[in-house]
Amino acid sequence: MSYINNLTKSQFAAELSFLLKPLQDQVAKLEGVIDAMKRERSGQQIEFLSTKEVQELLGVSRGTVYNYIKAGKLIQHNLSSGKVVFDREEVLRFIKLTKK
């Protein structure tokens, strides 16, 4: 507890922000899943993107896309054929979150 007491307000805010970031990422991920489920239930067509399309949309390498997946920032959907796809709306939400 003494560690916290010795922090300035700005240091405390930075620590808190650092600790909350993974939770914010998880909430964003869950919101994407919930939105996809709502669209699926309402009969809306879900548009999927390939890994290459996501790379081009984000302007990053294939490795970076997989790093985003590992970090829980992007959600991949595995098709029965073994192909990996991404919900376009989830990718756009990720772009919006990272622009802030």
Side-chain angles (χ1 to χ4, degrees):
M1 194 65 145
S2 64
Y3 170 74
I4 292 174
N5 291 336
N6 293 329
L7 295 176
T8 65
K9 285 183 181 179
S10 62
Q11 289 172 326
F12 181 75
E15 286 287 324
L16 190 58
S17 177
F18 174 77
L19 293 171
L20 289 176
K21 181 69 172 126
L23 292 173
Q24 291 170 327
D25 291 343
Q26 285 293 341
V27 167
K29 182 177 176 181
L30 290 172
E31 286 173 342
V33 171
I34 290 167
D35 286 347
M37 291 172 71
K38 286 179 181 176
R39 287 194 311 273
E40 192 173 295
R41 278 193 180 159
S42 69
Q44 287 180 323
Q45 187 71 21
I46 298 174
E47 183 181 349
F48 289 109
L49 302 174
S50 67
T51 304
K52 183 158 183 66
E53 290 170 321
V54 171
Q55 283 177 244
E56 292 171 358
L57 197 58
L58 298 176
V60 298
S61 69
R62 182 180 188 90
T64 299
V65 170
Y66 285 106
N67 286 338
Y68 289 152
I69 294 166
K70 286 180 192 173
K73 296 179 179 183
L74 282 177
I75 302 167
Q76 70 178 18
H77 302 276
N78 301 310
L79 302 180
S80 59
S81 64
K83 183 178 170 94
V84 173
V85 294
F86 301 85
D87 181 334
R88 180 172 168 53
E89 291 298 319
E90 291 173 7
V91 174
L92 294 176
R93 183 177 296 101
F94 171 72
I95 292 170
K96 187 176 179 181
L97 286 172
T98 57
K99 296 282 183 183
K100 289 182 179 180

